[in-house]
Structures are given as structure tokens and as C-alpha cells.
Amino acid sequence: AMSTQENYNKIQDEKSNINWTIVRVVEIGKDVEQFSTGSGWASFVAEFAKSETEILFGAFNAKADDGLGQPRSKIILVNWIGGRCPPKKRAASNMARQEIGTIFNNTCCSIDANDVDGLDIKDASKAILSKTAAHKPVFYEFGDQQVQVADL
């Protein structure tokens, strides 16, 4: 099985068939474990949707495309505390954030969510855009769908 770090590296590989990876907090003091990987925003959100009692951290590689053939990786970090997560587990999420920072080590922005309404693709695009310097791309490529910056 690939390690959490290997999967994170893989989502950044140009030739990769996956563009997201999710890790799970098991308990305080234990290393996070690999939860799932895949491609496309819809399947990414679906993993969180079925994880109401979990603490998950997801990394999604969206491509900022200026239409000139040089798309740039923009990695979105999702901090997920499921809406039905037990309090004891919630405490573990703060402990895990430090470890997450060393695994998902070059994210451009983060989203805190506890239900799938918090994972709207336009909101995710706005999160990237808010961290983008003057040069705005034309669209963000999520693998299964594109978001035009003009629509944000």
C-alpha cells in the first residue's frame, strides 16, 4: 500500500490518474492513515459525504489554467470534522493538524467543513482565487469539471 506521503506526491505528478487523496485521524497520538484516493471533485466530495463520524484531511490538486498551456497546481486542503463526530475525536483533529502540515506540505488554501454544503466547487475555486496574486487564470480544472473564473 502507498503511504500517505507517496499518495500526496502522486496527486502532484503530471502523469498521475488521481488528483486527490484523503487521510483519516484514528485517535490522538496515532499517525493519520490513508483513507482513499481518486479523481474529480464529485468523487472527492462523496468520500466526505459518507464520513459523518470521521475526522478527515483531504488534498485536492486543482489546476489553475490561463489558457496558455501552462496550468499550475493549486492544492486545496480540506479539514473535515464530520457533523456526527464524537467530541473526543474532535479533540484529536487539532493534534493532527501539525502532522498534516508535514504530509500535505505545499497547499495553497484550506477549507473547514463539517457537511458537504461546505464543499461547493465554486467556494473551493474562490478559496484558491483569494490566495492568487494579480495574475488570474481563465479557469480551474478539477478533472471532472471546470470552473470559469469569470463566473466567480
Side-chain angles (χ1 to χ4, degrees):
M2 302 243 295
S3 73
T4 53
Q5 189 70 64
E6 285 168 333
N7 279 312
Y8 184 66
N9 295 343
K10 189 177 177 190
I11 69 166
Q12 298 173 79
D13 179 354
E14 291 295 307
K15 298 173 208 63
S16 177
N17 59 342
I18 62 167
N19 67 358
W20 59 260
T21 180
I22 297 174
V23 300
R24 180 168 85 104
V25 173
V26 192
E27 59 182 282
I28 291 180
K30 287 255 169 73
D31 286 349
V32 295
E33 64 180 35
Q34 187 62 45
F35 186 70
S36 54
T37 60
S39 179
W41 190 254
S43 63
F44 184 60
V45 171
E47 290 295 308
F48 294 104
K50 64 185 189 195
S51 305
E52 288 190 315
T53 60
E54 299 285 358
I55 305 271
L56 304 174
F57 292 91
F60 191 101
N61 185 359
K63 295 283 173 45
D65 200 311
D66 53 13
L68 303 173
Q70 290 290 324
R72 294 180 310 284
S73 287
K74 299 288 180 184
I75 298 177
I76 304 164
L77 169 65
V78 171
N79 304 311
W80 172 269
I81 299 179
R84 291 176 46 230
C85 191
K88 200 171 154 192
K89 222 177 188 180
R90 283 170 195 260
S93 78
N94 291 331
M95 300 277 294
R97 274 175 200 250
Q98 219 168 350
E99 186 190 351
I100 294 303
T102 62
I103 302 170
F104 298 166
N105 55 15
N106 57 344
T107 57
C108 90
C109 60
S110 67
I111 297 171
D112 294 330
N114 56 17
D115 61 35
V116 290
D117 293 346
L119 297 175
D120 178 76
I121 195 166
K122 276 197 168 175
D123 292 339
S125 300
K126 285 176 189 166
I128 304 172
L129 194 58
S130 71
K131 296 283 192 283
T132 300
H135 180 72
K136 289 186 168 67
V138 178
F139 64 89
Y140 295 115
E141 175 59 66
F142 286 81
D144 56 341
Q145 48 199 309
Q146 291 179 351
V147 175
Q148 301 298 318
V149 169
D151 296 339
L152 296 174

